[in-house]
Every structure is written in C-alpha cells, then in structure tokens.
C-alpha cells in the first residue's frame, strides 16, 4: 500500500457504476436502472449524485442490451463512459476498474439512486486519507446465523450493513480484484480477502438498493392522482384509421411514426401524467426506429406496466374529436378494446365523440384529435 505521503493532494477520482444486472427480482421486463422514479430514471439519479460529488468522471458497467439506452440517458453528463460487464458482479467491477485507471475508484451499485453527494465525498475523503471508505450503517435488525439447522444470534451492536459507495485507492482495489473473488458480492470483502483492512464511513439509511417491486413502489407518488393527455394527428390517404386499437372503415387514416392511434396516445399521456412520469414523446421518441409503424396498443401495454407499479387504474375517460367518420357505432368496441389492455372493466372506460361543427383543422377534415383523463389510486399492497 502507498503511504499517505505518496497520495496526491487532489486525486483523480473515478466512479465505477455497476448496472450490468438483469434485475430479475424486480419483476420488470427491463433493467431496474432504466425504471423512472418520477421524471428521471434510476441511473440518471445516480449520475446526478456523482455529478454533484468530487468524482471527476464515471464509467458505467452495463450489458450490451442496455448500452444504447444508457448511452442516451448519460449523454447530458460530462465525462461518462461505458464498458461491458461480466458474468458476475466481481467480473463487472473488474472490467470497470480496468477501463478507467485513476487514483481513487468509487464503486457504486447502479440500483442505489438515493446516495447523497455528501456520502460519496465522505467515502472519497476516507479513501484518500486511509486507503478506503466503505458506506455502512449499523444493523437495526437482530441478525441470526443458521448453520446446519442450528440458529445462533450475532451481537447486534457489532453488526453493520455495508452499502455502496465504496471508495478505494485504485492500485489496491485493482490488485484485490486481480485475485480470486468471483463469488464476492461486496467490494470491501474483495479488499479484505487481499489482506487490506477496510475503513467504514457512516452510511445513510435512505440509501436503499432497489431489489424488488416493493422498493420501486415505495418510491412512487402516493394518493389518488388524476392525469390529462391530448393528441392530434393529420388525416391522410392510404393509411388505416385506428382508434383505441379498433380499425374504423374510412377512406383515410392518421399519419404518424407509429400507427398514429391518436386516442391511445392521449390515454397513455393521461396515465403517465397521473403517475408523474415523462410523456410518450420521451418514452417512445419518434426518432427511434423501434417504434416505426408499431401498434400503439403495444406501447400502451408498456405504459400500463410502468404506471401500475404502486398504482391501480381506477378509470379512464376520453373524447375523440373528428368531423368524420361517424364513430357512434364503434364506441363500444373501442371501450372494450381499451379496457382489455388497461386491465379494468369496460364500464371504467368512457369514450365519447364530438365534431367541431366544421370549424378548424378538425372540422375541415384535416385531422383527428383526442383528449383523455384518468384516475390512478394508490396500490402499495
Ligand atoms: Mg401522437
């Protein structure tokens, strides 16, 4: 180990943010670091904390499947690079360390969005002073060891739960990770195995790791919440007219990047607004070829999955504004179609239709518009 005198006064500090897990325990069909908590994803909240800390740069360790999306989310942040993870957490950390040699490495779980910049800095300062700084909190639970069916109690006063960030002198942690550690899930343990003595820093109880759906639910807004959405699309020749997932016979259809189902677009924005999440323009950008010609009902499925984390959809009400065709005969089919995807009964979905008395872009047949509102109720059970 280097002596204190050899450590540089203003060290080059690199964050290693580990996001290569699949997050299977959360029950999401995407990596939990990509989940929105309000207007920002988990990984953006992590990057915000590091941007406000003394770390000078960061490397995000991710899987190839998540690379494009993480790159996009990380683009506004300065000095952030990406590298691929490995089969285990230890291999992922090792890849991250190798990618960015520095003086002090701060290793952090991508699924801990609530670590404060002050905690990150306290870990960095400890590493500069003493070689390491490990965020840890006193155990509030009494911990039992169960071995071969025999239960024994551990003295709670001596127990700490380690968290991340964990900061280390780079050469030491790199040396430790070059040893055998593939079963390790904690960087301090790897450091210990290499013969070093980790130094604990007082962690934060709010610095939870998002592991299961319950952790996500705790972070969603509470109470009954209303939402509103609006959309308009141009009518054009040579496209089918699809409203609420139902194809309506007409000589024109709506123009757009997806199937341009204006009613579903308004409903999705109503749901997202009630949940406090970004709108469909952010979630499904029309610059993304994955959404070219896609059925809006598939996008609705994804929106429903996102908003029903911590919420239940109580009801949806929508108005379609069209001069033609007459929609009265299709309303029931549209309500049933939407209700099936929303996971609620058809009597909780109300759709009405109106003309605009031949006025404006709707009245002259150039476009169809829709607005929707909804109510979400708390479902933290
Ligand atoms: Mg639209």
């Amino acid at each position: 180990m280097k002596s204190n005198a050899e450590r540089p006064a203003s060290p080059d500090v690199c964050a290693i943010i580990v996001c290569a897990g699949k997050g299977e325990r959360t029950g999401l069909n995407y990596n939990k670091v990509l989940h929105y908590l309000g207007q920002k994803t988990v990984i953006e909240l992590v990057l915000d904390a590091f941007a406000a800390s003394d770390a000078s740069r960061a490397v995000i360790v991710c899987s190839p499947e998540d690379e494009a999306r993480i790159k996009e989310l990380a683009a506004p942040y300065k000095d952030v690079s990406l590298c691929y993870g490995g089969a285990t957490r230890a291999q992922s950390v090792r890849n991250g360390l190798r990618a960015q040699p520095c003086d002090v490495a701060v290793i952090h779980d991508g699924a801990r969005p609530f670590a404060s910049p002050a905690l990150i800095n306290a870990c960095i300062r400890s590493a500069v002073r003493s070689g390491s700084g490990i965020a840890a909190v006193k155990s509030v639970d009494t911990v039992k060891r169960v071995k071969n069916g025999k239960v024994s109690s551990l003295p709670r006063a001596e127990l700490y739960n380690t968290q991340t960030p964990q900061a280390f002198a780079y050469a030491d942690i790199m040396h430790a990770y070059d040893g055998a550690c593939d079963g390790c899930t904690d960087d301090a343990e790897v450091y210990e195995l290499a013969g070093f003595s980790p130094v604990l820093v007082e962690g934060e109880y709010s610095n939870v790791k998002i592991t299961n759906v319950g952790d996500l639910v705790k972070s969603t807004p509470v109470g009954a919440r209303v939402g509103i959405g609006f959309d308009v699309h141009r009518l054009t020749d040579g496209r089918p007219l699809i409203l609420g997932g139902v194809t309506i016979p007409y000589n024109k259809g709506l123009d757009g990047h997806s199937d341009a189902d204006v009613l579903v677009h308004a409903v999705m924005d109503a749901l997202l607004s009630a949940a406090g999440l970004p709108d469909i323009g952010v979630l499904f950008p029309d610059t993304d070829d994955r959404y070219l010609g896609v059925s809006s009902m598939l996008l609705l499925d994804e929106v429903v999955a996102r908003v029903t984390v911590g919420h239940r959809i109580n009801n949806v009400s929508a108005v379609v504004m069209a001069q033609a065709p007459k929609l009265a005969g299709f309303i029931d089919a549209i309500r049933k179609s939407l209700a099936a995807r929303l996971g609620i009964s058809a009597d909780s979905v109300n759709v009405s239709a109106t003309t605009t008395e031949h006025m404006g872009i709707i009245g002259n047949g150039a476009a169809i518009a829709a607005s929707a509102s909804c109510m979400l109720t708390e479902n933290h059970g």
Side-chain angles (χ1 to χ4, degrees):
M1 271 177 79
K2 283 182 187 175
S3 71
N4 286 344
E6 286 169 290
R7 293 185 201 286
S10 180
D12 175 23
V13 179
C14 183
I16 316 288
I17 301 169
V18 189
C19 301
K22 290 203 171 57
E24 278 144 352
R25 277 179 291 176
T26 53
L28 300 171
N29 63 355
Y30 50 85
N31 189 330
K32 60 198 166 190
V33 306
L34 302 177
H35 187 74
Y36 276 92
L37 297 176
Q39 296 291 316
K40 288 190 174 176
T41 56
V42 169
I43 185 66
E44 288 171 283
L45 294 172
V46 168
L47 290 171
D48 281 346
F50 276 93
S53 79
D54 292 338
S56 37
R57 55 207 161 92
V59 56
I60 299 174
V61 188
C62 68
S63 65
E65 304 93 84
D66 293 329
E67 184 184 13
R69 181 67 180 134
I70 289 181
K71 208 174 242 175
E72 193 176 23
L73 292 169
Y77 297 88
K78 258 191 15 209
D79 298 316
V80 176
S81 59
L82 270 66
C83 80
Y84 290 149
T88 63
R89 184 182 183 282
Q91 286 171 17
S92 293
V93 173
R94 192 186 289 128
N95 290 357
L97 287 167
R98 284 198 181 133
Q100 291 285 332
C102 52
D103 300 319
V104 171
V106 194
I107 302 166
H108 190 61
D109 293 319
R112 286 188 191 267
F114 307 117
S116 71
L119 176 60
I120 296 167
N121 288 346
C123 293
I124 293 170
R125 276 197 304 275
S126 175
V128 170
R129 208 171 40 236
S130 316
S132 67
I134 314 300
V137 289
K138 277 194 158 189
S139 181
V140 289
D141 297 316
T142 300
V143 179
K144 304 285 184 195
R145 170 185 282 135
V146 183
K147 205 171 180 185
N148 303 324
K150 190 178 179 320
V151 179
S152 56
S153 297
L154 299 172
R156 189 173 68 182
E158 296 175 7
L159 297 179
Y160 285 78
N161 295 332
T162 57
Q163 308 179 327
T164 66
Q166 299 193 3
F168 303 91
Y170 178 83
D172 300 343
I173 192 68
M174 192 68 257
H175 167 72
Y177 266 103
D178 280 335
C181 57
D182 275 345
C184 295
T185 54
D186 178 56
D187 311 299
E189 185 186 352
V190 176
Y191 187 70
E192 258 179 83
L193 285 173
F196 297 101
S197 294
V199 175
L200 300 188
V201 166
E202 190 170 352
E204 294 165 341
Y205 287 100
S206 54
N207 175 23
V208 294
K209 184 175 181 183
I210 291 174
T211 305
N212 53 46
V213 161
D215 301 323
L216 295 171
V217 167
K218 276 182 231 147
S219 310
T220 56
V222 296
R225 297 173 58 95
V226 296
I228 184 166
F230 177 81
D231 198 20
V232 57
H233 279 261
R234 186 185 298 277
L235 274 166
T236 184
D237 293 325
R239 301 235 330 161
L241 175 60
I242 301 167
L243 293 172
V246 175
T247 304
I248 315 279
Y250 191 48
N251 60 2
K252 289 179 177 180
L254 295 172
D255 200 15
H257 187 70
S258 64
D259 66 358
D261 188 331
V262 69
L263 173 56
V264 170
H265 292 186
V267 167
M268 290 193 288
D269 269 347
L271 292 167
L272 291 166
S273 99
L277 296 172
D279 64 25
I280 54 172
V282 174
L283 292 185
F284 313 117
D286 62 11
T287 49
D288 192 329
D289 283 346
R290 273 177 302 168
Y291 306 120
L292 187 64
V294 75
S295 164
S296 296
M297 297 302 260
L298 296 176
L299 305 182
L300 179 60
D301 290 344
E302 186 169 337
V303 167
V304 169
R306 285 181 189 258
V307 303
T308 51
V309 173
H311 295 118
R312 200 174 62 77
I313 301 169
N314 186 72
N315 70 302
V316 168
S317 292
V319 186
V320 179
M321 289 155 258
Q323 193 62 46
K326 283 276 166 267
L327 297 174
F330 301 98
I331 295 293
D332 261 358
I334 290 172
R335 288 173 63 195
K336 284 183 184 136
S337 160
L338 287 173
R341 301 307 264 258
L342 295 166
I344 57 179
S345 69
D347 30 295
S348 299
V349 180
N350 213 308
V351 177
S352 53
T354 185
T355 69
T356 61
E357 302 280 345
H358 298 283
M359 293 180 288
I361 53 165
I362 291 161
N364 71 16
I368 291 181
S371 80
S373 62
C374 72
M375 179 171 279
L376 301 181
T377 53
E378 205 172 321
N379 182 13
H380 285 195

